Amino acid sequence: MSGALLALSIGPVQEFIAAARRTRDLWFGSYLLSEVAKAAALGASEAGAELIFPAAGDKELRPADPKEEDTLSVANVILAEIRGNTKVEDVRDAARKAAERRWRDFADQARQIAGGAVAASRWDRQVEDVIEFYAAWTPLNGTGYQAARKRVMRLLAGRKACRDFRPHLGSAGIHKSSLDGGRESVLQSPRDRLGGGLKRDTGTIRGRMRLKAGEELDAVGLVKRLAGGRVRFPSVSRVAADPWIRGIREGDLEELSTACGRIPGEMLSRVPGGPFEIFPYEGTVLFPTRHAQMVEESTGERPGGDGEALNKALEGVPALVDRLIRSYGEPFPYLAVLAADGDHMGALLSEKETPHDHREFSGELSRFAIEARKEIKKHNGVAVYTGGDDVLAFLPVDQAVDCADKLRKRFADIMEPVAKGSNAAPTLSAGISIAHCLEDLEDLLDFGRKAESLAKGKKLPEKEQRNGLAVVVRSRGNAPTTFRAQWTDPRIDRLQEWVGHFLEGERSNKLPYELRRRAGHFRNWTETEGLEKAIRADLRLVLSRKVKGELRLGDDDIERICTGRDAPVDSPEALADFAEELLVARQIAEAKRLAERRRRKEDA
């Protein structure tokens, strides 16, 4: 085997993805990083490299419209094989230039839209200093592919650790970006805006950028708000309210939809159709306490002046929302953040002995990424990022566990052919964080990643690790409530079963809290003999008294739970875990109850 193996890394990941205050920042940053990485991969391919990761043809790597679904998402690391007389340096330079051109395309779009609202000197300085590009390569002469791949990835990691520390080119006295505190704002100061006669124009642009009063943007932040056209990404409040919306009879929702259609777009954004077609507007309007904030954000100032026109456009909507709330209850303010990741991927990849095997492996990962987007959409969710085995999505609470289950089954089916003969079966661990839609976006993402880590179970014994589902409920003002089990554990079926019990039973059931209290009591026992028998007897007593009537469980159901044929409840820890499981089930049932309210009204 001769030639070289080239590895490239494209960034910055932090500025493109993690620095986000709105869901559009997060989604478009992910899309932007993928597009820049695709351009680099295409540049390398056109310069003579044979791509290994991503395993995609030139057609798939062409620029994608952000409105298009089911397009290829590419991770920010590229691996390619170089043979013959092709020079590694030429491939590297071609990839770098292609990545920088693609970034410039987005920057030029945003700059044209922003017009005079941008301070030209700061903008030009920042745009030139955005793309991070690292490269490493190693010869393949006389070296096996596995050893060469490991070596080049070590070299790339070392090169990134020796990052380029360029001199700071900031300006004194300029506000920092609200998304990235390391960069200055590229927006003109209020004095400059007024002095340049830009008061009216800037207000319009700031409304389109959805800037709060006092919020500032750097070059990357402005690109995320303006580039790509008027593509809308549903807010967390729209995803959270989705079960409530689905539970409203179509005729009852029609008048509100008509009224929302009269509200200016800079005040109430439209969202993509598909699963949101029934109510294609942001969810903020469904929460009465958020109406004043809608006006403030669309004007960049507190209501008054230009805000009066927007207040007038909102006129009548609060009464319509209030009428629906009286009939259907309040909108559900919690949503699910799903973060999933493949297990044993490193072990599977280390077994690939040739570039061909690795390409085949990469191709299946790309196929799963596209399939994952489709599955998330089927469950009324929105995919923020699906790249290979890595998935990040926002979902309605009532759909999240079902979606995670479908994703892990689809992942196993797709990856099975490339894992034949391997000792490490490809599985998918999924973490679901259920949190309030008013939590900071940064916190929501952190909650999702922590749930994913919990699903992996890295602190558990080896046989209990990976192939897991974790659901963490973070009610505001309360400690997190956690459920974790492997997909093969019968407790997952029991969780779904209890969702059904709570859905059909009384809403005020306090069973989980009673079980949690009793678990604390049993932890104080000093005599272990007879403890298991006492816990089972106590559980049977509590279930018979509190559950049989309120949740409509029969004697057989109670006996099955107490005897532990599905999942033993035979220790204080198991009893406490069971209580947590019921709290999680009750939260999911609450969302399902709202989604099914329409059917129940029609059946009544």
Side-chain angles (χ1 to χ4, degrees):
M1 181 179 290
S2 62
L5 205 57
L6 171 67
L8 306 173
S9 175
I10 316 295
V13 176
Q14 167 65 26
E15 285 88 336
F16 280 162
I17 299 180
R21 280 197 173 184
R22 292 185 174 275
T23 51
R24 168 155 174 137
D25 299 336
L26 182 64
W27 162 73
F28 198 84
S30 299
Y31 162 78
L32 177 60
L33 182 58
S34 174
E35 285 296 298
V36 172
K38 282 166 61 177
L42 180 59
S45 175
E46 291 177 339
E50 296 182 43
L51 294 177
I52 298 173
F53 184 83
D58 290 0
K59 184 178 180 181
E60 296 171 289
L61 295 173
R62 298 291 177 189
D65 190 319
K67 298 184 182 69
E68 294 178 9
E69 300 177 4
D70 306 335
T71 57
L72 179 68
S73 292
V74 172
N76 68 317
V77 175
I78 297 163
L79 187 65
E81 181 184 11
I82 298 174
R83 292 185 174 277
N85 296 323
T86 303
K87 294 183 179 179
V88 177
E89 292 86 349
D90 291 343
V91 175
R92 176 201 61 191
D93 293 343
R96 181 200 294 270
K97 290 177 182 177
E100 291 173 346
R101 280 197 304 270
R102 187 66 176 126
W103 156 246
R104 265 292 187 179
D105 290 342
F106 287 110
D108 290 345
Q109 287 179 30
R111 180 69 175 85
Q112 184 175 4
I113 295 170
V118 169
S121 60
R122 293 200 299 274
W123 169 268
D124 292 339
R125 190 164 59 238
Q126 284 192 22
V127 166
E128 290 294 333
D129 191 39
V130 168
I131 296 299
E132 295 176 0
F133 185 95
Y134 301 102
W137 59 90
T138 189
L140 285 168
N141 298 337
T143 305
Y145 174 72
Q146 291 176 328
R149 186 188 66 80
K150 290 178 181 178
R151 174 172 169 75
V152 78
M153 296 312 294
R154 284 198 302 269
L155 289 171
L156 182 63
R159 174 63 185 90
K160 291 172 68 178
C162 299
R163 59 177 298 180
D164 301 328
F165 290 95
R166 299 170 183 169
H168 180 61
L169 300 176
S171 304
I174 303 298
H175 289 296
K176 295 291 188 180
S177 168
S178 302
L179 300 189
D180 177 11
R183 295 178 184 269
E184 285 80 15
S185 170
V186 296
L187 299 178
Q188 289 195 32
S189 66
R191 180 183 303 174
D192 293 335
R193 294 168 196 155
L194 294 176
L198 298 169
K199 182 177 181 180
R200 182 179 59 186
D201 179 61
T202 302
T204 303
I205 293 301
R206 289 182 69 87
R208 182 166 173 179
M209 287 188 285
R210 307 292 290 175
L211 291 177
K212 296 180 181 179
E215 188 175 13
E216 300 290 341
L217 295 176
D218 63 317
V220 176
L222 189 139
V223 168
K224 290 193 285 190
R225 293 283 173 95
L226 293 181
R230 292 183 178 272
V231 182
R232 300 297 186 185
F233 190 85
S235 68
V236 289
S237 60
R238 177 60 181 83
V239 177
D242 196 65
W244 184 81
I245 292 169
R246 281 182 276 122
I248 297 176
R249 285 189 289 198
E250 189 173 345
D252 292 345
L253 195 61
E254 186 175 351
E255 190 176 358
L256 177 61
S257 297
T258 301
C260 288
R262 295 192 291 265
I263 300 176
E266 67 268 21
M267 182 180 185
L268 180 65
S269 300
R270 277 61 174 166
V271 297
F276 303 113
E277 190 63 40
I278 185 174
F279 185 74
Y281 302 99
E282 285 295 1
T284 309
V285 74
L286 302 175
F287 297 89
T289 57
R290 305 288 305 282
H291 290 171
Q293 184 181 353
M294 289 171 58
V295 176
E296 179 183 345
E297 289 184 1
S298 56
T299 59
E301 58 188 30
R302 297 203 174 274
D306 293 341
E308 291 302 322
L310 296 176
N311 274 321
K312 186 171 179 61
L314 193 62
E315 194 173 34
V317 171
L320 294 173
V321 173
D322 185 61
R323 187 191 309 166
L324 290 175
I325 289 175
R326 288 199 302 270
S327 297
Y328 294 93
E330 294 185 357
F332 197 65
Y334 287 83
L335 79 153
V337 181
L338 184 149
D341 187 57
D343 304 315
H344 304 294
M345 291 295 102
L348 284 168
L349 188 54
S350 66
E351 296 173 357
K352 304 305 173 186
E353 298 180 351
T354 67
H356 172 77
D357 293 339
H358 192 163
R359 286 190 190 95
E360 187 179 49
F361 181 84
S362 301
E364 293 304 289
L365 284 177
S366 296
R367 187 159 73 92
F368 168 72
I370 293 175
E371 291 293 315
R373 286 184 177 273
K374 295 178 181 178
E375 197 61 56
I376 291 165
K377 185 177 179 180
K378 287 179 185 177
H379 289 83
N380 285 52
V382 289
V384 176
Y385 177 76
T386 59
D389 60 323
D390 192 11
V391 176
L392 179 65
F394 297 138
L395 287 150
V397 170
D398 66 315
Q399 299 285 319
V401 174
D402 292 335
C403 182
D405 189 29
K406 292 288 176 54
L407 288 176
R408 66 100 181 179
K409 290 176 180 176
R410 194 75 189 102
F411 183 77
D413 291 342
I414 289 175
M415 298 305 296
E416 183 180 11
V418 294
K420 283 184 178 179
S422 173
N423 294 324
T427 55
L428 190 77
S429 291
I432 297 171
S433 172
I434 298 174
H436 200 284
C437 66
L438 290 184
E439 296 283 0
D440 288 341
L441 187 58
E442 182 179 355
D443 290 336
L444 289 175
L445 298 177
D446 182 57
F447 295 159
R449 290 305 183 193
K450 285 179 177 177
E452 179 192 294
S453 179
L454 181 64
K456 292 279 189 181
K458 294 180 180 178
K459 296 181 179 180
L460 297 173
E462 177 65 27
K463 65 178 182 179
E464 298 178 29
Q465 293 181 17
R466 307 177 188 87
N467 193 29
L469 168 70
V471 186
V472 182
V473 177
R474 295 180 178 271
S475 301
R476 299 191 107 188
N478 295 318
T481 302
T482 301
F483 169 85
R484 194 271 174 184
Q486 289 182 301
W487 286 109
T488 54
D489 194 317
R491 287 188 298 146
I492 290 182
D493 290 334
R494 190 175 70 182
L495 174 71
Q496 297 284 52
E497 181 181 326
W498 274 95
V499 169
H501 293 325
F502 283 119
L503 184 60
E504 297 297 329
E506 298 292 333
R507 299 180 63 178
S508 62
N509 190 277
K510 297 180 180 179
L511 171 65
Y513 302 102
E514 175 67 14
L515 295 181
R516 179 186 280 177
R517 186 183 67 79
R518 289 175 180 263
H521 167 73
F522 284 117
R523 281 198 182 100
N524 295 325
W525 277 35
T526 55
E527 291 291 334
T528 57
E529 186 177 354
L531 178 59
E532 178 181 336
K533 184 176 180 181
I535 289 173
R536 291 182 186 275
D538 204 43
L539 178 60
R540 182 179 288 106
L541 176 65
V542 173
L543 291 177
S544 298
R545 189 176 72 235
K546 287 187 171 290
V547 175
K548 192 171 181 180
E550 296 181 15
L551 297 183
R552 304 172 191 172
L553 263 69
D555 292 331
D556 291 341
D557 294 316
I558 294 174
E559 190 61 26
R560 177 165 52 84
I561 295 168
C562 293
T563 55
R565 291 197 298 267
D566 291 340
V569 183
D570 53 6
S571 68
E573 293 73 23
L575 185 59
D577 287 345
F578 185 44
E580 297 268 301
E581 178 183 326
L582 298 190
L583 287 170
V584 171
R586 200 175 68 164
Q587 185 80 347
I588 297 172
E590 180 63 23
K592 284 185 176 290
R593 179 180 286 108
L594 290 173
E596 293 189 7
R597 193 182 294 268
R598 174 180 179 178
R599 175 184 61 80
R600 293 169 185 268
K601 279 182 173 286
E602 290 173 350
D603 292 344

